[in-house]
Amino acid sequence: MRVALSVTCVNDAMFPDTGKAVVTLLRRLGVDVAFPAGQACCGQPMVNTGYLDEAVPVVRNYLETFAGYDAVVTPSGSCAGSARHQHDIVARRSGDPALVEAAAGAPPTYELSEFLVDVLGVVDVGASFPHSVTYHPTCHSLRMLGVDDRPRRLLEAVRGLRLVDLPSAEECCGFGGTFALKNADTSIAMGADKARHVRETAAEVLVAGDNSCLLHIGGMLSRQRAGVRVMHLAEVLAAQEGAA
Amino acid sequence: MSARDDVLGSVRRALAAADRSPVPVPDGHRSRPGPADVVGLFAERVADYRAVVERCSADEAAGRVAAVVEGLRVVVPPGLPWPVPGAVVDDGLTAAELDGLDAVVTGATLGIAETGTIVLTHGPGQGRRALTLVPDLHVCVVRAGDVVGDVSSAVRLLDPVLPQTWISGPSATSDIELSRVEGVHGPRTLHVIVVG
Amino acid sequence: MTATFVGMPPFPEAARAALADTQLRSNLAHATATIRAKRAAVVAEVDDWEELRLAGAAIKDNTLLHLDEHLVALEAALTARGATVHWATDAAEACAVVARVARDHGVDEVVKVKSMVTQEIGLNEALAAEGVLAWETDLAELIVQLGDDLPSHILVPAIHRNRAEIREIFERRMKDVGRPAPDDLVDDPARLAEAARLHLREKFLRARMAVSGANFAVAETGTLVVVESEGNGRMCLTLPDVLVSVVGIEKVVPTWQDLDVFLQLLPRSSTGERMNPYTSTWTGVTPGDGPQEVHVVLLDNGRTRALADEVGRQALRCIRCSACLNVCPVYERTGGHAYGSVYPGPIGAILNPLLRGVGTDEQVDSLPYASSLCGACFEACPVRIDIPSVLVDLRAQVVDAHRAGAPKPEALAMRAAAWSLGSGARLGRLERLSGVVGRVAGRLGRRTLPGGRRALGRLPGLGGWSGARDLPAPPVESFRAWWRRTDGGRTEERA
Ligand code: SF4
């Protein structure tokens, strides 16, 4: 199986360690993931703000970049959701039948926890991370993709990791892409409640499957000097702290 | 052009390009296995609404009804199968006259176990709709054999042409801070006697 | 009621004001948490809930796709049972019908059952202009009407008020319009409900005409259905001689049996009960029982515009249960007034633009953006309206409506972003630039995030973001640069 990594534009530019963690983790599990250099973005920022014409070249680039692979894996529930639910909309908008066909025949894009549990069939990825962790299920992974408890099962199998329940875990953190800017006050009010719930757990680390949500929650926690570290799920699953 | 033509014309234009092929409607819920103890569940669910519920045999029914309304000014619909001593029989009382009475006793067409609901269809023994609305106490006698399992079964048995009132507990509101209060405009007390 | 939604500012501005009201936020947080828990408990009782949702959505879709036929059937059935059917293309026509009936009977007051559609068409104001007083009889509507306030929730229009505020409104205002509040009124919900009972009873007993909406209208039989809790609906539907029901054309269901689906979905989603206290059904005129003159007004008012929208059409499935409001994290914090309409929350964010069209009113255009697209509404909706997808589609319609003319800064930014994000090479060049920022921040930055990364604090030009949120400094090396330098980490591992 030829598997490509779609690292996502946000991770590429802002969170390279997450991409490196995915590479390390997948190699450890015997998957030599490719990184097609033409990749840039899935188009979600434009689509979710209403700029469908602008999204057309971005989606075209995505579809061309990953066309030859059997599967695409991405450390973002949100971008996986965009690939699976929005690319056909953008393709239809373009009026280009070739693009519509490309979207219909595109290889499946899996969010990381789906790829690990469903495609590779592993739950114990051989990680060790001796810290207390709380997990925020991001909305798109939870409700758009339906990853359900896959990330939790992966975390529960990590050696040394103590998983603490996050109160009101399934409530949105308030990031929402351009919502965070267009409706900044509401976004911050939602983020403040999420940050409060995180602090209530007294966990050392907040884990989620989307760095954009962590950018928002982590930004609030940092401003509040909460001392809680935020980490992407991939980085925890790649960790082998204190392992023999 | 009339408003009717306008509205229907707009509907047709709106749907001109739509794919109108039918969407399949799942209906497995219409053949659910019923609850094991239909009448027991009914009594339990009616009580959940903070209605008063009692069960008795057919011979005891009249006595139970008389006991509940004793000393009250009570009205009954024509055709009520249980005698209620001292009751006024409704012959088109005004709303104000009904407001001067304390209680009403009626039968019911059916009961729904799953939701604890009583359905009146306002024929003989049940009376017109105002009768069970204005007095503050509604005593409703439900025959055990008329209790069905769920909402689907009830809808199937009911005749839509008859006016219906579905009653699930006493009148209530949650309009103040979403905290539930029993007793607003409809009867503040619902007393259900399940017979048989 | 003199309060009005006309002239409300766009959502972000209105939300800012609402967010600053701490009393409002605590009232809402408390109320929505209560109702969410109740709903979750009664939904969990139904094993085949998901199938019921699918059935509800399918019945509504099939009806909408043949709406013309069902409306004609409904009209015929109603007429056969002695009702008079009127049609109205817009609010003004509908209000005129009701006013005419009132005039014909010489009444100067009507009692009203809580109904969204009569709020939508501004019926009370229209009747007042004709010298007819309309009394709201639902407790929450009464609170809103007496408080000269605006509704902020579909089911509980006064959800933004707490018991102390309600007591004050009753004490101050009841005496002006009828029986005064009891002298010893305290802010206990049971006592407040009792005050409403006493105040309204005289109005019910003397009313000669009532106005209602309908939750459902059965095409096959001409049966109308009103679902309620307090008994005020039964009072209005039963005691007066004349009844006018204003019914949106999307309220039709084809058959009587179809109601079994909705009478399960609605109460559990709405009040979080197995069944609401009272459901009334009536089919035209019943001799000797209830109103002997029955009118039904079938209203369009933008519904056919929504019907023409291929993606948005599903919004017409809505049964106004308000579950989407109660689970919405945005609604919970801003309340309903910020949406500037009688339809607030997630359904309001799609329904208002669908009914009124986009591109002409800034406030309406702001509504599709009043969501983080978290999807909680879709998950809760008993008729499976995919609100996030409709929101995204409406955002595109808003953007498209403004494509002619000078581009706004946002449009320019999006074009630039799309250009940079349209190829790996261009994104790579941008990342080299941000790497420079990262290097500078690494040297100059004083703040460090837990885990060791440098942080950027308040930044000029990023006010919206950085007012309350730090930003990590960009990394010195992007992922793609690392991959190229180390051959995907292979040379790094060896080193
Ligand atoms: S959109 Fe769905 S959840 Fe919201 S009010 Fe309508 S039916 Fe209820």
Side-chain angles (χ1 to χ4, degrees), chain A residues 79-89 92 143-145, chain C residues 389:
Chain A
C79 301
S82 154
R84 295 207 313 236
H85 297 291
Q86 296 185 333
H87 282 182
D88 61 326
I89 297 172
R92 261 180 284 136
R143 286 182 274 260
M144 209 169 175
L145 301 179
Chain C
S389 292

Side-chain angles (χ1 to χ4, degrees), chain C residues 39 154 266 269-270 314-315 317-327 344-348 350-351 376-387:
Chain C
R39 174 191 165 276
I154 293 176
L266 180 54
S269 302
S270 183
Q314 57 185 307
R317 292 181 202 149
C318 175
I319 55 174
R320 310 279 189 266
C321 71
S322 70
C324 59
L325 281 65
N326 299 330
V327 299
I347 182 61
I350 61 173
L351 196 58
C377 46
F378 181 22
E379 198 174 53
C381 177
V383 286
R384 292 182 53 92
I385 300 173
D386 183 354
I387 294 177

Side-chain angles (χ1 to χ4, degrees), chain B residues 2-8 10-15 17-30 32 44-45 48-49 95-96 98-99 112 114-117 120 122 127-136 138 150-181 183-188, chain C residues 30-31 34-35 38 45-46 48 51-52 54-55 58-59 61-62 64-69 71-72 75 81 87-89 93 137-140 155-156 159 162-163 166 189-190 192-194 196-197 200-201 204-205 221 223 229-232 234-235 237-239 249 256-258 260-261 263-264 268 273-283 286 288-291 300 304 307-308 313:
Chain B
S2 70
R4 180 182 191 276
D5 295 340
D6 261 344
V7 175
L8 288 173
S10 305
V11 170
R12 290 180 185 128
R13 274 192 304 281
L15 294 170
D19 172 7
R20 293 170 79 155
S21 44
V23 186
V25 183
D27 65 355
H29 66 94
R30 287 188 178 139
R32 286 181 196 139
E44 184 190 311
R45 297 263 154 116
D48 273 356
Y49 296 119
L98 287 174
D99 196 37
I112 308 172
E114 190 183 69
T115 58
T117 303
L120 307 188
H122 304 286
R128 62 201 169 98
R129 286 172 280 170
L131 197 64
T132 38
L133 174 61
V134 182
D136 208 15
H138 179 193
D150 61 10
V151 172
S152 290
S153 316
V155 171
R156 203 173 306 125
L157 291 170
L158 290 163
D159 177 357
V161 166
L162 303 175
Q164 293 171 22
T165 308
W166 294 38
I167 299 173
S168 307
S171 70
T173 184
S174 299
D175 280 356
I176 300 168
E177 299 179 13
L178 271 302
S179 91
R180 189 177 159 101
V181 174
V184 198
H185 305 294
R188 285 184 286 190
Chain C
H30 170 73
T34 308
I35 191 78
K38 285 174 72 179
E45 268 182 11
V46 183
D48 48 13
E51 193 199 293
L52 280 177
L54 285 164
I59 292 169
D61 279 350
N62 287 330
L64 290 168
L65 289 172
H66 296 273
L67 190 57
D68 47 345
E69 297 153 35
L71 287 171
V72 171
E75 178 188 42
R81 299 285 309 171
W87 299 73
T89 58
E93 283 182 17
T137 64
D138 167 78
L139 178 50
L155 174 70
V156 194
I159 197 170
N162 65 21
R163 57 187 75 190
I166 294 165
L192 294 168
E194 160 94 22
R197 176 188 169 94
L200 286 172
R201 188 149 284 227
F204 288 134
L205 294 180
T221 59
T223 307
S229 295
E230 295 168 10
N232 63 308
R234 293 178 67 192
M235 291 279 179
L237 299 173
T238 310
L239 298 183
I249 54 173
W256 168 254
Q257 189 65 41
D258 290 329
D260 68 351
V261 172
L263 291 178
Q264 294 180 75
R268 291 182 196 259
E273 295 166 301
R274 295 187 183 109
M275 190 58 82
N276 49 289
Y278 299 132
T279 296
S280 297
T281 78
W282 72 101
T283 303
T286 306
D289 186 352
D300 182 345
T304 52
L307 187 66
R313 180 178 299 144

Side-chain angles (χ1 to χ4, degrees), chain A residues 189-207:
Chain A
M190 290 159 70
D193 288 338
K194 183 60 74 178
R196 177 167 50 79
H197 290 312
V198 171
R199 291 199 311 272
E200 278 163 19
T201 66
E204 294 164 68
V205 184
L206 168 68
V207 172

